[in-house]
Amino acid sequence: MARKISFDAPLEETQPQEAPTRAAAAHPARPLLGLDRPIKQSSALGAISQSLGDISERVKRAEQIEQKLVAGQTVVEIDPDLIDASFVPDRMDATPEQNAAFREMIREHGQNVPILVRPKTPERFEVAFGHRRLRAARELGIKVRAVVRDLTDEQLVIAQGQENSGRTDLTFIERARFAARLEDRKFSREIIMASLNVDKAALSRLIAIATRVPGALIDAIGPAPGFGRVRWQELTELLDVDDNRARARAIVAEPSFGDLDTDKRFQTLYDRLRVREARLRPETWNAEDGTRVARIMRTGKKLTLTFDDRVVPQFGDFVAERLQLLYEEYKANGDRGS
């Protein structure tokens, strides 16, 4: 089956101009900056950023854009059914309402920005970024505008991550999970840092949280755009307390939990685990001489005494041997539980 694509004109051919002089062709102008300094022709965009050194960030970005204009980008229209999702998902499922709103925006205004895909087989493609635009085109029954490039796995995830780094709607936990999935697939930390545009410390925090929070809980909560690293870190610490992981699984399984929006799901789970943590916080009983003799843990209708032999050797055994006497004294003074 042949690919169902049709070609638009390359960007540099959309507005015909007079043939440039030999000097102008050798040293094209830089219209984005309004400068006459020529662009150095290069087959690799990466060489540009290395050559600029201490030039401003604005100049770097303009140089990259202008290199693309010099090289030209061919935009094609492809049947969405011929395009598969990226092999590393980076975004959690949006709500039906969000999908519908985005689809209607594409229907009304069209697809202004092409997606990026790579050839996967002679008949199919794989998307690097633009999953929502691809979904909208598929649901509208129209072709999707795309740039096709031969990309390695590393180039694909870097393009995918960097495109999303500029977006405001990719949440902290989506970024964290994307980082963890890349590491699971044995990508180097350098590739993952380049993909997400983060340093080593920030990447370590992302991966730590994504791996310590069970995937089923993340799926149940959803993207939670209202909560960033600090709150997810706090939730991670709450899950490490006693049987809170089992309790969390029970909470998210409640029918009413799924009826909440994603931010409320996060807050509900956080609040319920935090209340329990406050109740479970042990109390320390000190003797009059200041010795920390015992720890008292209250759990519902249960109370647990813990004695540390390193602090008061064998005091726990001493108390255990006198439980009958203590019980008789308790009964003699009246059953306080009645």
Side-chain angles (χ1 to χ4, degrees):
M1 182 176 67
R3 291 179 182 166
K4 301 176 182 177
I5 58 178
S6 59
F7 289 82
D8 293 333
L11 294 181
E12 72 272 23
E13 296 178 1
T14 55
Q15 294 183 358
Q17 298 176 353
E18 295 182 0
T21 65
R22 181 175 301 176
H27 302 290
R30 309 190 64 227
L32 295 184
L33 288 174
L35 301 178
D36 293 329
R37 186 172 64 82
I39 301 174
K40 294 181 180 180
Q41 297 292 340
S42 171
S43 60
L45 288 177
I48 296 174
S49 58
Q50 296 175 2
S51 66
L52 290 176
D54 58 350
I55 301 178
S56 70
E57 185 65 22
R58 177 169 173 264
V59 175
K60 292 181 185 178
R61 291 180 180 178
E63 190 121 37
Q64 292 171 352
I65 294 171
E66 288 169 353
Q67 279 284 4
K68 293 179 182 179
L69 291 174
V70 169
Q73 293 283 3
T74 300
V75 178
V76 300
E77 291 187 340
I78 307 177
D79 185 337
D81 291 337
L82 298 178
I83 304 176
D84 298 322
S86 168
F87 69 99
V88 185
D90 59 4
R91 187 182 297 276
M92 301 176 74
D93 290 338
T95 65
E97 293 77 14
Q98 289 171 328
N99 287 333
F102 189 80
R103 182 179 64 246
E104 291 309 307
M105 182 181 70
I106 295 294
R107 186 201 304 274
E108 182 177 353
H109 300 288
Q111 180 195 343
N112 296 319
V113 180
I115 67 174
L116 177 64
V117 301
R118 70 173 177 179
K120 185 176 182 182
T121 70
E123 308 296 340
R124 301 196 65 80
F125 303 88
E126 181 178 9
V127 62
F129 58 73
H131 289 78
R132 292 198 304 166
R133 281 163 276 173
L134 175 61
R135 178 203 288 266
R138 184 177 290 126
E139 293 175 351
L140 291 170
I142 61 176
K143 292 183 178 181
V144 64
R145 301 178 70 243
V147 171
V148 182
R149 290 185 189 168
D150 287 317
L151 301 170
T152 65
D153 287 350
E154 290 80 5
Q155 290 169 334
L156 185 143
V157 298
I158 289 175
Q160 182 177 350
Q162 289 186 346
E163 194 268 350
N164 281 328
S165 292
R167 303 181 65 87
T168 59
D169 59 347
L170 198 65
T171 68
F172 171 82
I173 197 60
E174 287 176 315
R175 288 166 55 81
R177 193 177 232 188
F178 182 55
R181 283 170 170 165
L182 291 179
E183 185 166 72
D184 286 343
R185 288 180 171 269
K186 309 304 181 184
F187 285 96
S188 69
R189 285 287 177 106
E190 288 73 19
I191 290 294
I192 305 174
M193 287 188 292
S195 173
L196 291 168
N197 194 28
V198 295
D199 60 23
K200 185 178 296 184
L203 178 61
S204 295
R205 290 193 292 266
L206 286 168
I207 293 176
I209 290 176
T211 53
R212 288 173 63 190
V213 179
L217 290 183
I218 295 176
D219 288 336
I221 294 170
F227 300 95
R229 181 188 64 82
V230 173
R231 294 299 296 277
W232 276 98
Q233 179 65 45
E234 291 173 354
L235 179 62
T236 302
E237 294 168 357
L238 286 174
L239 290 170
D240 289 338
V241 176
D242 295 330
D243 62 343
N244 269 355
R245 287 177 182 267
R247 292 193 67 251
R249 288 193 294 268
I251 291 171
V252 302
E254 296 172 1
S256 59
F257 187 85
D259 295 335
L260 303 173
D261 67 39
T262 178
D263 279 340
K264 289 183 179 178
R265 289 198 294 267
F266 180 98
Q267 190 66 57
T268 296
L269 180 61
Y270 177 88
D271 289 343
R272 290 177 64 174
L273 294 181
R274 190 177 184 186
V275 168
R276 180 173 175 82
E277 181 200 32
R279 292 176 180 173
L280 292 177
R281 187 172 295 118
E283 305 169 14
T284 301
W285 185 81
N286 297 334
E288 291 183 357
D289 63 1
T291 303
R292 295 184 177 182
V293 176
R295 290 165 64 88
I296 305 169
M297 176 73 76
R298 300 179 184 274
T299 308
K301 294 185 177 182
K302 296 180 180 180
L303 184 145
T304 304
L305 284 175
T306 304
F307 302 94
D308 191 340
D309 284 339
R310 294 171 300 179
V311 179
V312 186
Q314 300 181 337
F315 180 66
D317 295 331
F318 177 84
V319 173
E321 292 170 358
R322 286 159 176 76
L323 285 177
Q324 183 61 39
L325 295 175
L326 291 171
Y327 180 71
E328 291 174 358
E329 181 180 350
Y330 166 78
K331 295 295 288 186
N333 292 332
D335 190 343
R336 300 180 186 181
S338 61

